[in-house]
């Protein structure tokens, strides 16, 4: 099955029944479908490698919507090959899926971006969900945008999905929670301490890493004495709250489609080889293979 690099997160569905061609490709046995002396062997070996490449998602959206952070979230949490604006023009050439990030009501530019991506392989995400007054509000907003766009809109805080607090930040949060500190409603008021001081620096780092909602959530978790015993477990809790894992379902639903497209790539290679006269009988026999393995 076409899969993300590394072990699949729980919940990746099976891609369904495979044809003889894609079944052999998934087992890494594509070249065994022809005579070992056939000139198709290296072509099928290369096509088989391409077939098994990890699932590739390309992130699009208006500038400032959190696209680069979404790329990181997809790589780190869902183990996808992910690209975005930082990867330059043409980075989507081999993409299987597109992720359109919205951080405000859909505008013309978003409609244009949505039209430019393949409809059946594009997910729309309300990003920066943590900047809404609360998660339920973000979900309600996403529902309204979904009605306007005619496609589901998933709710994600890509920043929380990338939470990587270190021991120094964890200790600062623990001390703040023990002192009964809360996140002020104006995030700027969190930045107490002399500019350049260690206290100010750690507070700035916290806002940069997890922003106001993340700090507020972490303080509540630590004050409640939750099992966030160290930086790593607090990071994991924030990742779990980010909504990014909920993308695994809709991504998984598109895996069968991606697999069919990759099988079409193998067929195109075989057709090119047959046109060049390379083991035409072998190529045509394989091209006639359409049944389920
Ligand atoms: N609160 C919050 N901030 C976020 C989130 N994702 C990204 N940001 C912040 O938004 C800013 C832009 O993030 P990027 O990921 O660089 O977004 P981009 O779309 O690539 O933006 P440009 O590179 O400026 O075009 C940074 O300050 C991020 O920290 C999020 O989920 N929540
Ligand atoms: Mg950026």
């Amino acid at each position: 099955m076409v899969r993300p690099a590394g072990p699949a997160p729980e919940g990746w569905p099976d891609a369904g029944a495979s044809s003889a061609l894609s079944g052999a490709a998934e087992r890494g046995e594509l070249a065994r479908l022809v005579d070992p002396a056939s000139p198709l062997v290296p072509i099928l070996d290369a096509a088989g490698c391409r077939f098994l490449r990890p699932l590739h998602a390309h992130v699009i959206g208006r500038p400032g919507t959190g696209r680069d952070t979404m790329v990181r979230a997809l790589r780190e949490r869902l183990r996808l090959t992910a690209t975005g604006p930082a990867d330059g023009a043409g980075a989507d050439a081999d993409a299987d899926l597109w992720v359109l990030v919205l951080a405000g009501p859909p505008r013309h530019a978003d409609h244009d971006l949505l039209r430019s991506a393949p409809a059946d392989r594009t997910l729309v995400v309300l990003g920066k969900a943590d900047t809404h007054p609360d998660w339920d509000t973000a979900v309600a907003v996403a529902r309204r945008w979904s009605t306007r766009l005619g496609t589901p809109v998933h709710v994600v805080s890509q920043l929380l999905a990338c939470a990587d607090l270190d021991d120094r930040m964890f200790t600062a949060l623990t001390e703040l929670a023990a002192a009964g500190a809360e996140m002020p409603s104006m995030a700027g008021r969190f930045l107490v301490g002399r500019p350049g001081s260690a206290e100010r620096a750690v507070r700035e780092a916290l806002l940069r890493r997890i922003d106001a909602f993340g700090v507020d959530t972490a303080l509540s978790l630590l004050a409640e004495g939750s099992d966030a015993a160290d930086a790593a477990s607090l990071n994991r809790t924030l990742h779990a709250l980010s909504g990014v894992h909920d993308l695994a379902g809709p991504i998984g639903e598109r895996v069968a489609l991606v697999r069919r497209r990759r099988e079409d790539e193998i067929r195109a290679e075989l057709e090119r080889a047959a046109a060049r006269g390379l083991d035409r009988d072998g190529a045509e026999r394989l091209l006639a293979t359409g049944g389920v393995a």
Side-chain angles (χ1 to χ4, degrees):
M1 146 182 180
V2 179
R3 57 183 164 265
E10 254 174 62
W12 286 112
D14 191 354
S18 53
S19 75
L21 262 189
S22 57
E26 274 162 20
R27 294 189 300 276
E29 294 175 355
L30 204 49
R32 289 201 206 165
L33 298 177
V34 293
D35 188 281
S38 165
L40 292 177
V41 167
I43 290 168
L44 289 173
D45 274 338
C49 282
R50 261 185 71 68
F51 184 92
L52 288 173
R53 70 194 184 272
L55 206 58
H56 173 177
H58 185 73
V59 175
I60 53 177
R62 283 189 272 132
T65 50
R67 299 165 300 174
D68 290 319
T69 313
M70 183 64 75
V71 168
R72 213 181 126 201
L74 296 173
R75 283 181 190 155
E76 294 181 5
R77 300 285 84 78
L78 299 185
R79 302 185 205 108
L80 297 175
T81 296
T83 52
D87 298 291
D92 63 347
D94 255 353
D96 300 300
L97 304 168
W98 278 254
V99 175
L100 170 62
V101 185
L102 305 173
R107 301 224 190 106
H108 266 310
D110 298 307
H111 287 276
D112 289 347
L113 282 167
L114 192 55
R115 265 194 300 274
S116 72
D120 53 351
R121 288 177 292 132
T122 301
L123 301 182
V124 181
V125 171
L126 174 156
K128 303 194 184 184
D130 57 284
T131 61
H132 291 257
D134 54 49
W135 205 267
D136 288 344
T137 307
V139 170
V141 168
R143 213 170 282 136
R144 285 203 296 280
W145 295 355
S146 166
T147 307
R148 280 164 67 171
L149 292 170
T151 186
V153 176
H154 307 277
V155 176
V156 173
S157 165
Q158 56 271 50
L159 193 67
L160 289 191
C162 297
D164 58 351
L165 303 174
D166 60 19
D167 291 344
R168 183 180 59 111
M169 296 171 201
F170 179 76
T171 304
L173 284 168
T174 311
E175 287 169 3
L176 283 168
E182 289 179 359
M183 181 69 209
S185 55
M186 302 269 288
R189 297 222 171 113
F190 182 68
L191 294 179
V192 298
R194 196 171 35 80
S197 66
E199 178 179 15
R200 179 71 171 256
V202 77
R203 285 169 178 256
E204 283 167 352
L206 281 168
L207 282 187
R208 218 174 22 252
R209 299 286 176 106
I210 56 174
D211 213 352
F213 177 88
V215 172
D216 192 37
T217 306
L219 289 176
S220 305
L221 288 167
L222 293 166
E224 284 162 13
S226 79
D227 60 359
D230 53 22
S233 58
L234 181 55
N235 286 332
R236 278 197 298 276
T237 303
L238 295 174
H239 300 162
L241 293 171
S242 72
V244 75
H245 292 105
D246 295 340
L247 296 180
I251 290 173
E253 285 162 17
R254 287 158 177 84
V255 164
L257 202 59
V258 172
R259 183 169 61 180
R260 275 201 298 280
R261 294 181 60 84
R262 290 189 182 186
E263 182 170 331
D264 287 345
E265 288 177 3
I266 298 175
R267 289 182 189 283
E269 282 296 333
L270 284 168
E271 270 160 14
R272 270 193 291 275
R276 284 164 57 207
L278 297 175
D279 188 3
R280 187 166 303 185
D281 288 349
E284 274 167 8
R285 184 175 47 78
L286 284 186
L287 282 167
T289 315
V292 171

